[in-house]
């Protein structure tokens, strides 16, 4: 009597082009809310704030439409002219801002080593900056490492 492997599994290797593997990967990522691949664990690292939002068109408009717990993508930007350890935060292809310099040194090294991170939007607030009454929007997110 044949065992399960002999009965149901082929011993042939299938050669898939990279585009097929990429497409399969994208479909898997979309099966779970937030675009996370199945079987990933989110390790909570803390609450962070975004900086540099005023330099990016549409970021304020996109941020106003975010719901709490919306997944934000983080990417390294090693060729940033002001900070070679820059970590940029995106939502749906729109650059929202950066993780502040003071909070991201270890994160950038981990990202360079291949670790993946996401942010989850928690809210925004308007804070007064300076004595002239100027206000600035501060966006908060929870940061998670994917394992």
């Amino acid at each position: 009597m044949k065992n399960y492997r002999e009965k149901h599994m082929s011993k042939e290797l299938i050669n898939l082009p990279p585009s097929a593997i990429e497409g399969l990967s994208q479909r898997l990522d979309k099966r779970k809310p937030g675009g996370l691949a199945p079987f990933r664990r989110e390790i909570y690292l803390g609450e962070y704030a975004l900086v540099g939002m005023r330099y990016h068109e549409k970021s304020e408009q996109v941020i106003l439409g975010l719901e709490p717990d919306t997944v934000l993508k983080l990417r390294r930007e090693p060729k940033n002219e002001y900070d070679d350890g820059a970590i940029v935060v995106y939502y749906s292809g729109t650059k929202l801002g950066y993780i502040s310099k003071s909070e991201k040194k270890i994160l950038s090294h981990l990202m360079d080593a291949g670790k993946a991170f996401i942010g989850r939007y928690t809210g925004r607030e308007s804070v007064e900056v300076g004595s002239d009454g100027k206000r600035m929007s501060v966006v908060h997110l929870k940061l998670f490492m994917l394992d």
Side-chain angles (χ1 to χ4, degrees):
M1 185 166 181
K2 290 184 176 183
N3 67 26
Y4 181 84
R5 181 177 292 197
E6 291 171 340
K7 195 174 185 181
H8 298 286
M9 297 179 77
S10 171
K11 293 180 183 175
E12 294 178 33
L13 293 176
I14 300 170
N15 188 11
L16 293 175
S19 59
I21 294 169
E22 176 75 21
L24 178 61
S25 170
Q26 288 174 357
R27 277 194 301 248
L28 284 173
D29 288 352
K30 291 178 182 173
R31 288 189 344 200
K32 189 172 180 186
L36 300 178
F39 310 114
R40 283 208 170 157
R41 184 171 54 144
E42 294 180 9
I43 301 168
Y44 177 67
L45 300 176
E47 186 92 13
Y48 288 75
L50 290 184
V51 297
M53 294 169 298
R54 65 178 176 235
Y55 301 112
H56 306 289
E57 285 185 36
K58 300 181 186 175
S59 67
E60 188 73 23
Q61 177 183 343
V62 170
I63 290 165
L64 288 171
L66 294 177
E67 296 289 328
D69 212 35
T70 298
V71 173
L72 306 173
K73 294 187 178 187
L74 279 73
R75 290 191 198 136
R76 280 282 282 115
E77 196 175 74
K79 295 185 179 179
N80 182 297
E81 63 182 292
Y82 303 105
D83 177 10
D84 62 357
I87 298 172
V88 67
V89 178
Y90 285 91
Y91 176 73
S92 194
T94 301
K95 185 185 283 190
L96 302 180
Y98 295 87
I99 301 293
S100 74
K101 272 187 183 184
S102 62
E103 298 177 326
K104 58 91 192 128
K105 186 171 180 146
I106 293 172
L107 297 176
S108 62
H109 290 299
L110 287 168
M111 289 178 91
D112 290 344
K115 293 294 183 187
F117 296 85
I118 61 163
R120 290 191 178 274
Y121 174 76
T122 58
R124 65 186 282 278
E125 63 181 317
S126 181
V127 296
E128 192 171 318
V129 290
S131 58
D132 60 357
K134 260 188 163 174
R135 300 195 73 73
M136 180 176 90
S137 186
V138 177
V139 173
H140 299 281
L141 59 115
K142 290 181 179 177
L143 195 67
F144 297 86
M145 183 171 73
L146 301 178
D147 188 33

